[in-house]
């Protein structure tokens, strides 16, 4: 089926312009166990306004990524499925879109441009919607899988000017989205001070993730200016957490912030 070319960017833009908050469920192909999710869970998801499903992992490519995406789509359509690739080998035409990221918090050319070059032809041939994304690893100095894989250090929450300059450079290079990631399973999230500053200076849709395992942390991200939060690990541990987060988001969007 031909893809709707701007389906995902339009959905994110709508959130951003309407000051509504979004939630993305990150499914890690290396860890996802289809048997851990009941049929009832998939059915209930339809009434809960999940904004996006991200699929990706820092571990190496699983050969049946296409099958996994088909499996997810059969149960969640029309929720967009977006690739969050750890490498060019995770480009998969079954998805709707790809976060076309450059790891600009680091200085490893492999993740600044080389992976992107290796992915481009496949993406061009796939018809995937491309979401040019400035990807910054930001935490309190914790080691995470992206750090291990890319060999780059995270920026520290306290390095506010450097974070802002880096994100601005991404904007000036034409990237349309900023993703501040504390890293999968991180205990120190991106600080609210950083989220606030990036949100107010950049004025681009802002994605925040990494270690968001409590409603309180998600609330803080929303209040600070995140447009879309990404949750992976905590849903792997407890799928009902996604339901809680989506109910909370609905309440936040409808009750607390009536325009
Ligand atoms: C644009 C293309 C094709 C590739 C981009 C390649 C880049 C720049 C990647 C950024 C660096 C990187 C390795 C990101 C990984 C992102 C990711 C999918 C993280 C999720 O990590 P998990 O795999 O959940 O971590 P755990 O292993 O801790 O579960
Ligand atoms: O798995 P968690 O800790 O929720 O992090 C999600 C994502 O931001 C990691 O790249
Ligand atoms: Mg993971």
């Amino acid at each position: 089926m031909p893809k709707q070319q701007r389906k995902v960017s339009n959905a994110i833009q709508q959130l951003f312009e309407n000051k509504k908050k979004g939630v993305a469920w990150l499914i890690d192909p290396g860890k996802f166990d289809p048997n851990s999710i009941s049929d009832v869970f998939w059915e209930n998801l339809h009434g809960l306004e999940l904004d996006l499903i991200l699929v990706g992992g820092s571990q190496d490519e699983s050969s049946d990524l296409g099958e996994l995406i088909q499996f997810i789509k059969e149960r969640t359509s029309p929720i967009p499925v977006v690739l969050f690739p750890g490498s060019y080998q995770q480009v998969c035409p079954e998805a709707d879109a790809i976060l076309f990221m450059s790891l600009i918090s680091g200085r490893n050319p492999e993740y600044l441009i080389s992976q992107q070059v290796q992915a481009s032809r496949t993406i061009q041939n796939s018809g995937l919607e491309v979401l040019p994304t400035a990807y910054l690893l930001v935490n309190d100095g914790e080691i995470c899988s992206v750090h291990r894989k890319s060999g780059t250090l995270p920026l520290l929450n306290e390095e506010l000017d450097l974070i802002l300059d880096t994100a601005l450079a991404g904007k000036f290079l034409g990237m349309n989205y900023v993703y501040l990631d504390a890293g999968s399973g991180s205990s120190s999230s991106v600080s609210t001070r950083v989220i606030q500053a990036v949100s107010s200076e950049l004025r681009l849709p802002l994605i925040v993730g990494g270690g968001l395992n409590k409603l309180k942390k998600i609330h803080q991200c929303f209040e600070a200016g995140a447009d879309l939060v990404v949750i992976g690990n905590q849903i792997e541990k407890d799928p009902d957490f996604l339901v809680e987060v989506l109910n909370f988001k609905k309440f936040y969007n409808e009750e607390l912030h009536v325009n």
Side-chain angles (χ1 to χ4, degrees):
M1 197 197 292
K3 298 185 206 305
Q4 279 174 264
Q5 274 313 309
R6 295 190 52 82
K7 178 177 160 184
V8 183
S9 47
N10 285 344
I12 300 176
Q13 197 60 30
Q14 285 283 324
L15 288 173
F16 180 65
E17 282 172 14
N18 298 326
K19 299 188 168 50
K20 299 285 186 196
K21 304 303 180 181
V23 170
W25 173 16
L26 171 61
I27 297 182
D28 180 343
K31 295 189 180 158
F32 180 70
D33 172 10
N35 298 320
S36 67
I37 309 280
S38 68
D39 290 344
V40 175
F41 181 90
W42 291 117
E43 279 155 30
N44 287 345
L45 214 47
H46 289 283
L48 287 170
E49 296 175 27
L50 175 63
D51 297 272
L52 291 186
I53 296 174
L54 297 185
V55 178
S58 58
Q59 288 157 12
D60 265 327
E61 53 297 333
S62 79
S63 52
D64 45 14
L65 194 57
E67 259 173 52
L68 172 65
I69 292 174
Q70 294 282 17
F71 174 91
I72 296 166
K73 288 194 127 201
E74 278 161 23
R75 286 156 182 80
T76 59
S77 178
I79 300 165
V81 174
V82 179
L83 298 170
F84 176 39
S87 83
Y88 75 92
Q89 283 159 302
Q90 290 176 20
V91 176
C92 186
E94 280 81 0
D96 296 295
I98 179 165
L99 285 185
F100 197 75
M101 310 183 285
S102 179
L103 178 61
I104 61 171
S105 56
R107 297 293 177 269
N108 182 347
E110 184 63 32
Y111 291 93
L112 283 165
I113 185 63
S114 181
Q115 288 286 327
Q116 294 76 359
V117 171
Q118 292 172 87
S120 291
R121 180 56 54 198
T122 318
I123 294 173
Q124 174 81 345
N125 294 340
S126 69
L128 284 164
E129 183 181 348
V130 173
L131 308 171
T133 303
Y135 183 66
L136 284 74
L137 208 51
V138 178
N139 65 31
D140 288 340
E142 246 174 271
I143 304 295
C144 61
S145 12
V146 178
H147 168 138
R148 276 192 292 273
K149 185 162 177 179
S150 67
T152 69
L153 291 169
L155 298 177
L156 300 177
N157 272 312
E158 66 198 40
E159 297 176 304
L160 186 59
D161 289 344
L162 180 57
I163 294 169
L164 280 171
D165 293 351
T166 306
L168 268 178
K171 178 174 181 172
F172 296 155
L173 281 165
M175 297 168 187
N176 293 337
Y177 307 90
V178 178
Y179 189 154
L180 300 175
D181 196 344
S184 175
S186 172
S187 63
S188 61
S189 312
V190 181
S191 75
T192 52
R193 176 168 166 262
V194 167
I195 298 171
Q196 245 156 18
V198 173
S199 157
S200 60
E201 178 142 27
L202 271 280
R203 305 213 169 271
L204 284 179
L206 180 57
I207 306 167
V208 177
L212 300 179
N213 54 6
K214 299 239 160 29
L215 284 185
K216 187 175 168 210
K217 291 189 187 176
I218 290 160
H219 186 201
Q220 286 169 342
C221 290
F222 284 165
E223 287 288 287
D227 298 293
L228 184 73
V229 293
V230 179
I231 305 153
N233 269 263
Q234 189 56 30
I235 303 171
E236 277 166 22
K237 286 186 201 143
D238 171 19
D240 287 337
F241 185 64
L242 178 59
V243 178
E244 271 179 59
V245 171
L246 292 173
N247 283 328
F248 171 73
K249 177 200 78 156
K250 197 161 192 278
F251 170 76
Y252 187 93
N253 280 339
E254 285 175 4
E255 305 295 325
L256 294 176
H257 288 257
V258 180
N259 287 329

